């Protein structure tokens, strides 16, 4: 099966704004989605209570930004990047109601858009990196994340991951995650989710990503949470 193009992915998200605007449910297909959103935003608010510049790549409808602003006393500036203009419009509407800071909307592929280097205290990248395709994509992306951060800044990631071991991948993804999806709805729904992941996504293992972050220069990398084929982690510059 050929992987989805960016245009196909953009079209799917253009038509799914309402589902991605729900703070209470998050993305139902994502294990611990709401719990990780609380964990990551709690952590960012704790480490950067006076954050000035925040970048959210693949921001969707701005759930993480809204949740973070509920916990910050400062009025940070936000740069929001997404393939989908309807998602960006919704994110701007929701974020602008909670901060007096500037809001910059950037439509496009994160790897290609122009952003100021050394500017950001915090970068949020949730449920977006699995759309990268090959090792070169991952290297380019992690190098760019590093360049965009201030010294002492950090990137916070939550995403779909693979296991390095094929037997563990079969158990954790196909069997255990498959059971989770079936309980959400039914086996047909499980197969539907597996099909669009196969069509759209190219995840890498958690170990691969942590090692690559270290290789490109991050000096403090830590795991926040892992459950089945989803994990959250942070890397400091």
């Amino acid at each position: 099966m050929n992987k989805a193009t960016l245009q196909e992915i953009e079209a799917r998200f253009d038509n799914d704004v309402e589902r991605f605007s729900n703070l209470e449910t998050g993305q139902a297909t994502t294990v611990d989605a709401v719990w990780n959103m609380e964990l990551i935003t709690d952590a960012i608010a704790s480490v950067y209570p006076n954050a000035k510049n925040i970048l959210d790549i693949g921001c969707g409808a701005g759930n993480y930004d809204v949740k973070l602003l509920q916990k910050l006393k400062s009025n940070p500036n936000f740069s929001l990047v997404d393939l989908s203009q309807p998602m960006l419009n919704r994110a701007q509407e929701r974020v602008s109601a909670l901060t007096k800071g500037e809001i910059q909307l950037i439509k496009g592929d994160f790897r290609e858009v122009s952003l100021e280097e050394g500017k950001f205290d915090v970068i949020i990248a949730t449920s977006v990196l699995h759309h990268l395709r090959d090792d070169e994509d991952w290297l380019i992306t992690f190098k760019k994340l590093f360049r965009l951060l201030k010294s002492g800044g950090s990137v916070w990631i939550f995403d779909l991951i693979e296991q390095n071991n094929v037997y563990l991948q079969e158990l954790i993804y196909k069997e255990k995650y498959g059971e989770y999806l079936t309980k959400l709805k039914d086996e047909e729904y499980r197969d539907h989710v597996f099909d669009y992941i196969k069509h759209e996504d190219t995840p890498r293992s958690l170990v691969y990503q942590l090692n690559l972050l270290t290789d490109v220069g991050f000096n403090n990398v830590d795991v926040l949470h892992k459950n089945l084929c989803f994990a959250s982690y942070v890397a400091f510059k």
Side-chain angles (χ1 to χ4, degrees), residues 18-201:
E18 291 307 319
R19 181 166 70 90
F20 286 92
S21 302
N22 192 323
L23 286 176
E24 283 68 44
T25 61
Q27 296 167 248
T29 58
T30 304
V31 178
D32 292 342
V34 174
W35 195 89
N36 273 283
M37 181 165 59
E38 292 287 358
L39 174 64
I40 289 173
T41 53
D42 278 346
I44 293 171
S46 176
V47 179
Y48 302 96
N50 299 307
K52 292 183 179 179
N53 293 298
I54 297 171
L55 169 64
D56 189 349
I57 65 172
C59 66
N63 279 354
Y64 270 76
D65 312 301
V66 169
K67 183 62 68 172
L68 178 59
L69 282 167
Q70 293 173 354
K71 301 173 181 182
L72 287 176
K73 294 181 179 179
S74 60
N75 283 285
N77 305 311
F78 279 86
S79 295
L80 306 176
V81 179
D82 204 275
L83 291 174
S84 168
Q85 189 62 50
M87 288 287 191
L88 286 169
N89 294 343
R90 179 58 62 84
Q92 181 182 36
E93 174 189 324
R94 299 169 78 208
V95 173
S96 63
L98 296 172
T99 181
K100 297 176 182 177
E102 296 179 3
I103 300 172
Q104 179 186 23
L105 302 184
I106 306 158
K107 182 182 183 302
D109 181 345
F110 167 73
R111 294 164 298 179
E112 298 176 358
V113 299
S114 178
L115 293 158
E116 183 180 341
E117 295 187 1
K119 175 179 179 179
F120 298 99
D121 303 287
V122 168
I123 299 177
I124 299 169
T126 57
S127 297
V128 63
L129 299 182
H130 61 264
H131 291 306
L132 299 173
R133 291 292 177 245
D134 55 26
D135 289 343
E136 184 67 17
D137 273 351
W138 284 89
L139 181 61
I140 289 170
T141 297
F142 279 12
K143 282 184 174 179
K144 185 169 185 177
L145 290 169
F146 184 81
R147 293 196 306 270
L148 293 174
L149 286 167
K150 295 177 179 177
S151 178
S154 54
V155 57
W156 302 77
I157 298 168
F158 173 53
D159 220 321
L160 175 70
I161 60 168
E162 285 191 335
Q163 298 299 136
N164 281 324
N165 181 280
V166 294
Y167 299 105
L168 288 176
Q169 175 67 6
E170 182 73 17
L171 173 67
I172 290 174
Y173 178 71
K174 283 298 184 85
E175 293 186 28
K176 299 295 185 182
Y177 181 49
E179 290 173 6
Y180 171 84
L181 294 172
T182 301
K183 287 178 181 177
L184 275 180
K185 199 167 184 181
D186 52 33
E187 291 183 354
E188 183 179 353
Y189 178 71
R190 174 201 64 194
D191 295 342
H192 166 72
V193 173
F194 279 163
D195 284 345
Y196 80 66
I197 288 175
K198 185 177 181 181
H199 183 47
E200 288 191 2
D201 306 338

Side-chain angles (χ1 to χ4, degrees), residues 217-237:
F218 287 94
N219 60 30
N220 187 345
V221 180
D222 213 343
V223 176
L224 301 171
H225 181 69
K226 180 183 184 296
N227 189 351
L228 299 181
C229 50
F230 292 89
S232 57
Y233 52 100
V234 59
F236 292 88
K237 181 174 179 179

